[in-house]
C-alpha cells in the first residue's frame, strides 16, 4: 500500500514551514481506485502512513495524522438539520468526521433564509434531508452520509443514536429534547446539545446517565407557552457561536478527551452576545 500512496504523494509544507508529505487533492480518488478502497478508507490509510490528504492540510498542527484518522473513523448521529443542524453538519464534514447519520422531517421555508446554512433560494420548499445530502456530497465526498426525512418519535431516539460515537441534538425548542437526552443515555452515547434564542447561546455535553439541560428545564418536554427562540428569534451570530461550541466538543469526544462543557464538569455554557458575557451554570440542580 505504501508504494501506491508514495507514488502519488509529494513533498510539501504546512503554512508555518513544517515539511510534510501531502497527497494532492486531485490524486485522492486515484489512490482510492488503485487500492480498491472507499474514499474515506483511502484517506485513513494515507494518514496511517503519515501522508496528509490535501483537503485536511489546514487542520494541522492542531490535529495530527492520528487525530485526523480518528475523526474519519468517528460516527456522528445528528438530529435536526435547520438553524443549528445545517452549519454543524457542514462543520463535521469539513473537519473530516467520516460517518454521519442525520434526521429531519421538515422542508425549507423563506423564514429560514436568515440563518440556516442549507437554506437558499434554490432549496426553499425542498426537504432539509435532501438538501443536506447534496451539500455533504459537494463539501466532502469521503464522508459516508445518510439521512432520513422523518420526525423522530420519543421511543426512536435510542435506536437512531445506537452505534454512534457522538450524538448531536440540534433540535428546535424544548419539546423533543428530553426524549433525545433519554435516548442517548439508553444508547450509551454522549450527547452534545445546543440552543439559541435571540442573542443567547446555550451548549452542553451530556454523558450517559448524567443530567442535561433538557432534563433540568423540563422532564416531560412540555411547554406552557412559545419556545424562547420563537419569542426572541434566531440570529446568525448566535447560531455560529453555538455551532463552534458543538463542533469543538465533538472533536474532543472523538479524540477520547473529556468534554469541557457538561460531562464530568457538570456545567452548561451560556453566552449573551448582546452583553458579550460568558457564564457556566451547574447542571446538577
Amino acid at each position: 500500500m505504501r508504494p501506491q500512496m508514495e507514488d502519488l504523494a509529494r513533498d510539501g509544507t504546512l503554512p508555518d514551514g513544517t515539511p510534510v508529505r501531502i497527497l494532492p487533492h486531485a490524486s485522492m480518488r486515484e489512490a482510492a481506485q488503485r487500492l480498491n478502497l472507499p474514499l474515506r478508507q483511502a484517506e485513513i490509510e494515507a494518514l496511517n502512513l503519515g501522508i496528509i490528504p490535501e483537503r485536511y492540510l489546514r487542520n494541522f498542527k492542531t490535529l495530527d495524522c492520528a487525530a485526523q484518522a480518528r475523526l474519519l473513523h468517528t460516527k456522528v448521529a445528528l438530529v435536526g438539520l435547520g438553524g443549528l443542524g445545517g452549519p454543524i453538519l457542514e462543520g463535521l464534514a469539513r473537519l473530516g468526521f467520516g460517518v454521519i447519520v442525520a434526521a429531519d422531517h421538515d422542508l425549507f421555508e423563506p423564514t429560514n433564509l436568515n440563518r440556516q446554512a442549507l437554506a437558499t433560494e434554490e432549496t426553499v420548499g425542498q426537504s432539509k434531508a435532501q438538501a443536506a445530502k447534496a451539500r455533504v456530497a459537494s463539501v466532502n465526498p469521503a464522508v459516508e452520509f445518510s439521512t432520513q426525512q422523518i420526525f423522530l418519535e420519543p421511543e426512536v431516539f435510542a435506536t437512531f443514536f445506537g452505534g454512534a460515537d457522538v450524538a448531536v441534538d440540534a433540535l428546535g425548542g424544548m419539546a423533543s429534547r428530553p426524549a433525545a437526552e433519554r435516548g442517548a443515555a439508553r444508547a450509551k452515547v454522549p450527547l452534545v446539545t445546543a440552543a439559541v434564542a435571540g442573542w443567547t447561546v446555550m451548549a452542553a455535553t451530556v454523558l450517559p446517565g448524567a443530567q442535561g439541560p433538557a432534563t433540568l428545564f423540563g422532564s416531560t418536554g412540555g411547554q406552557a407557552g412559545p419556545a424562547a427562540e420563537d419569542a426572541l428569534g434566531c440570529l446568525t451570530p448566535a447560531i455560529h457561536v453555538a455551532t463552534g461550541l458543538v463542533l469543538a466538543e465533538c472533536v474532543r469526544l472523538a479524540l477520547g478527551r473529556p468534554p469541557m462543557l457538561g460531562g464530568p464538569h457538570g456545567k452548561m455554557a451560556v453566552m449573551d452576545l448582546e452583553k458579550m458575557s460568558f457564564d457556566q451554570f451547574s447542571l446538577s440542580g
Side-chain angles (χ1 to χ4, degrees):
M1 188 172 294
R2 181 179 287 275
Q4 293 96 321
M5 288 288 188
E6 287 290 355
D7 182 52
L8 295 170
R10 62 173 174 81
D11 290 327
T13 61
L14 297 178
D16 69 352
T18 301
V20 291
R21 291 289 284 167
I22 296 171
L23 192 59
H25 188 63
S27 300
M28 193 64 247
R29 286 189 183 276
E30 183 179 350
Q33 290 168 356
R34 286 189 185 186
L35 298 169
N36 194 29
L37 292 173
L39 192 55
R40 177 176 72 94
Q41 190 60 43
E43 290 185 345
I44 291 171
E45 296 300 338
L47 289 159
N48 288 342
L49 295 171
I51 301 171
I52 305 172
E54 189 175 11
R55 73 157 53 246
Y56 303 120
L57 197 64
R58 293 306 295 266
N59 286 354
F60 288 67
K61 294 185 280 188
T62 298
L63 301 181
D64 59 16
C65 284
Q68 187 66 62
R70 187 85 175 259
L71 294 190
L72 283 161
H73 277 294
T74 298
K75 179 178 180 179
V76 178
L78 167 64
V79 58
L81 291 167
L84 280 172
I88 288 170
L89 174 65
E90 178 144 338
L92 292 169
R94 291 189 184 279
L95 279 162
F97 281 81
V99 182
I100 306 172
V101 296
D104 196 304
H105 73 289
D106 213 353
L107 307 179
F108 285 113
E109 302 174 354
T111 56
N112 301 145
L113 290 166
N114 77 313
R115 69 199 184 282
Q116 298 197 12
L118 299 175
T120 66
E121 292 290 337
E122 291 73 28
T123 62
V124 167
Q126 188 180 120
S127 77
K128 295 181 180 181
Q130 180 183 351
K133 186 174 182 179
R135 183 61 178 172
V136 171
S138 67
V139 166
N140 189 350
V143 175
E144 296 174 8
F145 178 65
S146 61
T147 184
Q148 303 175 52
Q149 187 182 349
I150 59 170
F151 176 83
L152 293 182
E153 298 292 345
E155 65 274 10
V156 178
F157 279 100
T159 300
F160 180 74
F161 291 145
D165 300 296
V166 181
V168 178
D169 162 18
L171 294 161
M174 286 296 298
S176 296
R177 289 179 184 264
E181 279 189 15
R182 293 192 295 269
R186 286 197 295 271
K188 295 181 170 55
V189 178
L191 177 73
V192 187
T193 181
V196 168
W199 290 110
T200 303
V201 176
M202 178 190 73
T205 295
V206 187
L207 298 181
Q211 181 166 265
T215 305
L216 188 65
F217 294 150
S219 59
T220 65
Q223 292 177 176
E229 65 192 69
D230 294 329
L232 300 175
C234 294
L235 301 180
T236 296
I239 290 286
H240 286 302
V241 170
T243 298
L245 293 172
V246 169
L247 291 173
E249 287 289 84
C250 287
V251 171
R252 294 186 65 83
L253 290 168
L255 300 184
R257 301 170 185 167
M260 295 303 294
L261 301 176
H265 301 282
K267 298 290 186 180
M268 172 180 67
V270 178
M271 297 189 69
D272 183 337
L273 299 184
E274 186 174 25
K275 299 178 180 178
M276 287 299 171
S277 64
F278 179 85
D279 295 292
Q280 288 185 303
F281 297 96
S282 173
L283 287 170
S284 59

